[in-house]
Amino acid sequence: MFNSRTILPLLLAGAVGAVLSVALEQLISPLPTAAQPQPPVIQAQRFELVDATGGLRGVLRMAPEGTGPEVALLDEAGHRRATMTQNGDGEYAFLIFDPDGSLRFGVGTTKRGFVGLNVRDGHGVIRSNLYASDDGSDTGFRTWDEDGRVRTKLGSVEGDPSTYAVRVFDGQSQVLWQAP
């Protein structure tokens, strides 16, 4: 049965196992520390996104003109290719630029009460746009010539928002053809 010769080694082994278990738990578990309060907000005037080589590829900032926030995506050469902006009048836009820096596409809102989508040629001239006024009094699709004149319009007729037509204009903005 059990005598002091058999129990003593068992008790000693149990005590050593308990001490080793507590010591191992302390080594594995991190020491408790006082919880550090985390700031709820990170503030900066500019954040930069860089690629693996350190090249600047994106910027979140307040525009240097003081007009409002701007998010810009840059190509490998550091040229602006797409932006989301707010201008000084509180108008918002999403813009896309070609590799030469010319504005080619834009969609935005205006304080005058319009939302529009503009497609521009390589010189930055609007060649077509889709637009709508906030009150619905002027809405449609237009194409423009190289001199910035509207040449075709599909949409509401000025002065009568309940009438819609397809119209073709001459170089002096006179109606050449209309249907209906």
Side-chain angles (χ1 to χ4, degrees):
M1 292 276 298
F2 292 109
N3 62 35
S4 61
R5 287 184 141 195
T6 57
I7 291 185
L8 189 57
L10 290 174
L11 288 174
L12 186 57
V16 169
V19 168
L20 287 176
S21 294
V22 170
L24 186 58
E25 179 183 348
Q26 291 299 316
L27 288 174
I28 293 174
S29 299
L31 294 174
T33 59
Q36 298 294 324
Q38 296 296 318
V41 176
I42 297 173
Q43 293 184 338
Q45 292 180 348
R46 180 180 173 107
F47 290 93
E48 294 184 349
L49 177 65
V50 295
D51 61 20
T53 65
L56 184 61
R57 298 302 302 275
V59 177
L60 170 60
R61 67 180 183 164
M62 292 303 292
E65 302 83 21
T67 56
E70 177 182 73
V71 176
L73 301 179
L74 312 174
D75 64 16
E76 295 84 4
H79 299 115
R80 178 177 60 170
R81 296 301 302 272
T83 63
M84 289 187 299
T85 64
Q86 175 191 10
N87 68 18
D89 294 327
E91 301 171 335
Y92 291 87
F94 175 75
L95 309 169
I96 295 180
F97 301 85
D98 68 15
D100 297 324
S102 294
L103 177 60
R104 298 301 301 271
F105 174 87
V107 61
T109 62
T110 71
K111 287 265 183 167
R112 297 176 321 195
F114 275 89
V115 63
L117 180 148
N118 296 327
V119 178
R120 299 170 182 257
D121 65 18
H123 302 289
V125 176
I126 296 174
R127 299 309 297 264
S128 63
N129 76 332
L130 180 65
Y131 63 96
S133 62
D134 289 348
D135 63 5
S137 63
D138 192 13
T139 182
F141 173 78
R142 298 181 289 204
T143 61
W144 307 63
D145 67 17
E146 63 277 356
D147 295 321
R149 294 183 299 251
V150 175
R151 298 307 296 264
T152 60
K153 180 179 178 185
L154 166 67
S156 60
V157 175
E158 290 84 4
D160 185 3
S162 64
T163 302
Y164 292 86
V166 175
R167 293 179 288 164
V168 177
F169 300 93
D170 66 13
Q172 286 70 48
S173 302
Q174 300 300 308
V175 176
L176 291 174
W177 180 84
Q178 178 173 317

